[in-house]
Amino acid sequence: MEEIKIFAPATVANLSCGFDVLGCCLESIGDEMLLRKNTTGEIRITKISGQELPMEADKNVAGVAVRALLKELNSQQGFDIEIYKKIKAGSGIGSSAASSAGAVFAVNKLLNEPFSPEELIPFAMEGERLASGNAHADNVAPALLGGFNLIRSYEPLEVIHLPTPQDLRMVILHPLIEVKTMDSRSIIRQSISLQKAVKQWGNLGAFVSALYSNDYDLLGRSLKDEIVEPVRSILIPFFDELKIIARESGALGFGISGSGPSVFAMCKGEASAKQTGAAIQKYYQEKEIDFDLHLSKIGNEGVKIIS
Amino acid sequence: MEEIKIFAPATVANLSCGFDVLGCCLESIGDEMLLRKNTTGEIRITKISGQELPMEADKNVAGVAVRALLKELNSQQGFDIEIYKKIKAGSGIGSSAASSAGAVFAVNKLLNEPFSPEELIPFAMEGERLASGNAHADNVAPALLGGFNLIRSYEPLEVIHLPTPQDLRMVILHPLIEVKTMDSRSIIRQSISLQKAVKQWGNLGAFVSALYSNDYDLLGRSLKDEIVEPVRSILIPFFDELKIIARESGALGFGISGSGPSVFAMCKGEASAKQTGAAIQKYYQEKEIDFDLHLSKIGNEGVKIIS
């Protein structure tokens, strides 16, 4: 195989009670990428559409991730990378993770899979390090593995793949304002109350239980975050109002996607997702805030081959 | 039914990463209690053996828990309570919880079960409030429901019953020193680092996942606590040494039971539990520290009727 075209999915990290450890993959939102072996021995970003991003491989997350993979193999193989961005950079649904994960997935396929999907995660994390200064895994792991993923530990890296209740739907609202991941991290307090932390881990334990037991109501009750959300939500226009509207429309839970500004509503079933999406969209229209709105299933596959 | 004899199990709360939210029931360690209706309309503690505890109903956790239950029912029924303690008070394996949970379980049976086991939890919690100043549920819930229990929330109270991998065994080592729960709570810092908290909830999420997936190794890897254990373990003689010995003997994990001084080793299978028990016992014998040692399965039933 000389060439491969793939779909690289968007992802939602920092899922409320799962700050820094829990993310999920979206099925119908993502970029496309085309990767082709070349004979120059170089990694070249040959095309980017949909967005202005660095064409220099060392400054592009896809280039950096691929370089990390090839370095591990001591490979001199060159690749041309074309990136067709659909996910907006800085939207909070794993734009950089999609590019990093997509690139290493594709290169791995073109090299006859020297690595398992799990083993690709650390390479994709190098792209995240370039994008945000922090080699986090809670976007790239679900982008590569699909479904819900829990990062139990970074040293050593251990990612746990969790089950997905089949009726789950995600509504993503992206207010068209810019929040840099680094800014968004810097406002988080580095010291928290034990009492709130105990609530958070109680909720995360319950969320994991609910994924296994298909308990949608429990998923909703445990999607809470009294630690990071109260601080970060001030950067998102009308966050509190949107949350109330989503809940009143029947959403199970509502929170910040990644480090924002996108927000997510988790819903049971297509009808509930549509109703919730319509309600929060109407509110933003009335407030005259520009936005993108997406509805998606949870993507069980992660990166997919298109051709 | 005028009279009932029950077995009220010991429990392990504060299971490492599950500080304040996770507890489990022990099958073969526990008290016996005999409860009998009387015609005086009074709650009387008529016998206590095995330990010196208040005979006055208002100062005894069993009396207080039963009173809370009867108050909810507006019942004037009187009861005589006999308590045959096997669990030592202050040992850290839920001595007061066993008495509280056993008493309300028995009274509920004698009154033809006006309450479900879950509904009994708040009454038993009143016993805990008397014992430790804090109406916590992570001992009484597993004592009443059996197995592993996660306290997701206190307001409102929500307890999640988790599955039990069948080969799990608990080794309990009780150093015969006294640590009051209140003292043990007061040394915990009320403010913690976000970084450690994130590790803790990652581990708790993983522990819950491991219970569902019967992944014993993952249970072991996630039984960690960098927040409370480092502070409380200084009250327990040779804690760090015991932990190393338990791990080297094949235990999955090792930690403090409740607020100590008992410690637990979680093991896969009877042989591993015996080996671990023998190794930590030998160490304490060499150090000339008095102790009790228990081996137990996880109790899937909670309080049981003897006759």
Side-chain angles (χ1 to χ4, degrees), chain A residues 2 11 38 80 123 223 226 244 252:
Chain A
E2 293 299 305
T11 44
N38 71 37
D80 289 350
F123 307 130
L223 263 183
E226 290 184 29
I244 292 167
L252 301 169

Side-chain angles (χ1 to χ4, degrees), chain A residues 115-138:
Chain A
F115 299 108
S116 71
E118 287 78 8
E119 287 169 344
L120 293 175
I121 296 171
F123 307 130
M125 285 166 67
E126 291 305 310
E128 294 294 72
R129 190 194 304 279
L130 176 70
S132 71
N134 180 18
H136 63 105
D138 46 346

Side-chain angles (χ1 to χ4, degrees), chain A residues 17-21 150-152 158 160-162 188-195 197-206 208-210 212-213 218 221-222 224 227-228, chain B residues 17-21 150-152 158 160-162 188-195 197-206 208-210 212-213 218 221-222 224 227-228:
Chain A
C17 52
F19 174 74
D20 256 7
V21 303
L150 178 79
I151 318 300
R152 189 194 68 76
E158 180 171 358
I160 295 161
H161 191 258
L162 300 167
I188 300 174
R189 293 186 199 93
Q190 291 309 305
S191 175
I192 62 174
S193 86
L194 176 62
Q195 198 189 6
V198 167
K199 278 193 193 178
Q200 188 96 336
W201 63 63
N203 278 317
L204 182 63
V208 172
S209 169
Y212 278 94
S213 58
L218 179 56
R221 289 197 300 280
S222 47
K224 290 197 175 133
I227 294 169
V228 175
Chain B
C17 52
F19 174 72
D20 256 7
V21 303
L150 178 79
I151 317 299
R152 189 193 69 77
E158 181 170 357
I160 295 160
H161 192 257
L162 300 167
I188 300 174
R189 293 185 198 92
Q190 291 309 305
S191 175
I192 63 175
S193 86
L194 176 63
Q195 197 189 6
V198 167
K199 277 193 194 178
Q200 188 96 336
W201 62 63
N203 278 317
L204 183 63
V208 172
S209 169
Y212 278 94
S213 58
L218 179 56
R221 289 196 301 279
S222 48
K224 292 199 175 130
I227 295 170
V228 176

